[in-house]
Amino acid sequence: MMKTLVFDVYGDFGHFKKFYTTSSPLTFAFPPPPTVRGMLGAIIGVDKNDYLDVLSHDKCKIAVRILSPVKKIRMGLNHINTKGNYWIPAKKGSHEARTQIRTEFLKNPAYRLYVCHEDDQIQNRFVENIRSHKTVYTLSLGLSELLADFKFVGLSEFTERKNGEGHITTVIPMSVIDEYGITFEKDKKYFKEKIAMEMTRDRVVERYEDVIFEVQGKTIYARTNIYWEDEKGERIIFF
């Protein structure tokens, strides 16, 4: 059994930049695992240079559930030219003083995060801070301007199980789904995206993976080679 912290995180806007978009950034529908690890680092105060080690894939399991329907809007972000680490208030060479970038945002995003760290002391710090509604660093949804709120949901015991089928509440990595293992149901909208799963402290992605999710936050009925189930029968997939 895995004693798992369950809490919700939400805000007015979010942006989790897709790695293959540059001039007009697009956003993923949910925070990829390295982003979640950064959010967890902010909660307990792990330095930005260390959190990918302290909260690495082999030490800290996480799962992400979409709680509210995914809505995306586009707005212009005003960027200023700070090349050289200071603002240049006038056009210099080919660089304008200001540039507006059309950027895609999530509107009213909300997620349920499931977190289980092998180190009891770190796990207890997560629980204590979430219960007390406090963080060491400011919590945001992808960008520092997009502040996040959060609330404690509970502690659950999730048991690892093999080869089963049922409704999965979280985002599902395609690698755990058996061939033809998804039952597509009416009134559900299925999307698949490739996201970064593991990243080194030098911000080098070690592994990408396709994941499937339902954009309205509904469950997905799937046959998987592994899943975790709690005492209430909720099934999730850890990254």
Side-chain angles (χ1 to χ4, degrees):
M1 284 190 178
M2 297 172 59
K3 193 170 185 178
T4 303
L5 167 65
V6 185
F7 68 101
D8 293 344
V9 59
Y10 46 91
D12 294 332
F13 296 98
H15 176 83
F16 309 109
K17 184 182 176 184
K18 292 185 176 181
F19 55 87
Y20 51 83
T21 58
T22 53
S23 58
S24 297
L26 303 177
T27 180
F28 288 113
F30 57 89
T35 304
V36 175
R37 299 184 198 287
M39 296 165 69
L40 296 174
I43 290 171
I44 62 171
V46 181
D47 187 85
K48 64 180 181 181
N49 294 319
D50 298 326
Y51 75 85
L52 287 171
D53 286 337
V54 176
L55 307 172
S56 63
H57 173 76
D58 57 334
K59 299 174 184 172
C60 182
K61 291 192 174 299
I62 57 175
V64 178
R65 175 179 177 181
I66 297 173
L67 289 182
S68 64
V70 176
K71 299 176 184 175
K72 295 182 178 180
I73 63 171
R74 291 197 177 199
M75 293 188 288
L77 279 185
N78 293 320
H79 290 210
I80 59 175
N81 183 3
T82 58
K83 289 186 182 298
N85 294 325
Y86 60 90
W87 182 37
I88 304 172
K91 182 177 181 179
K92 185 176 183 180
S94 60
H95 297 292
E96 297 286 348
R98 300 176 181 82
T99 304
Q100 189 170 81
I101 304 295
R102 296 282 290 174
T103 305
E104 187 178 63
F105 293 91
L106 295 158
K107 190 171 186 302
N108 299 321
Y111 309 98
R112 179 157 295 173
L113 303 182
Y114 304 77
V115 179
C116 180
H117 199 288
E118 65 175 15
D119 187 320
D120 288 341
Q121 288 188 339
I122 293 177
Q123 182 75 359
N124 290 337
R125 286 166 61 192
F126 284 136
V127 174
E128 180 181 339
N129 283 13
I130 295 295
R131 276 186 188 275
S132 305
H133 197 260
K134 66 180 183 182
T135 65
V136 176
Y137 302 125
T138 302
L139 190 63
S140 65
L141 293 171
L143 297 177
S144 60
E145 298 87 350
L146 310 178
L147 300 182
D149 199 357
F150 59 96
K151 65 180 180 183
F152 178 79
V153 174
L155 293 169
S156 293
E157 297 277 0
F158 279 90
T159 302
E160 180 179 324
R161 302 189 190 284
K162 305 285 187 183
N163 302 319
E165 64 179 74
H167 287 280
I168 308 292
T169 61
T170 58
V171 173
I172 309 175
M174 292 296 291
S175 61
V176 307
I177 299 174
D178 292 341
E179 190 174 8
Y180 306 112
I182 296 176
T183 300
F184 293 97
E185 301 173 276
K186 290 177 60 177
D187 302 325
K188 292 188 178 182
K189 300 177 181 177
Y190 302 84
F191 278 74
K192 187 175 76 171
E193 288 189 308
K194 184 183 292 292
I195 64 171
M197 298 294 281
E198 298 174 39
M199 186 180 293
T200 69
R201 61 183 301 155
D202 297 322
R203 305 299 190 271
V204 176
V205 178
E206 293 184 309
R207 182 166 65 91
Y208 291 98
E209 185 162 349
D210 289 331
V211 297
I212 188 167
F213 57 98
E214 207 283 331
V215 294
Q216 301 169 100
K218 297 179 180 177
T219 61
I220 293 178
Y221 193 90
R223 186 172 65 253
T224 59
N225 54 44
I226 189 171
Y227 63 93
W228 286 261
E229 187 174 40
D230 71 358
E231 62 275 9
K232 297 178 182 177
E234 181 180 9
R235 295 185 178 195
I236 66 174
I237 304 292
F238 283 110
F239 290 124

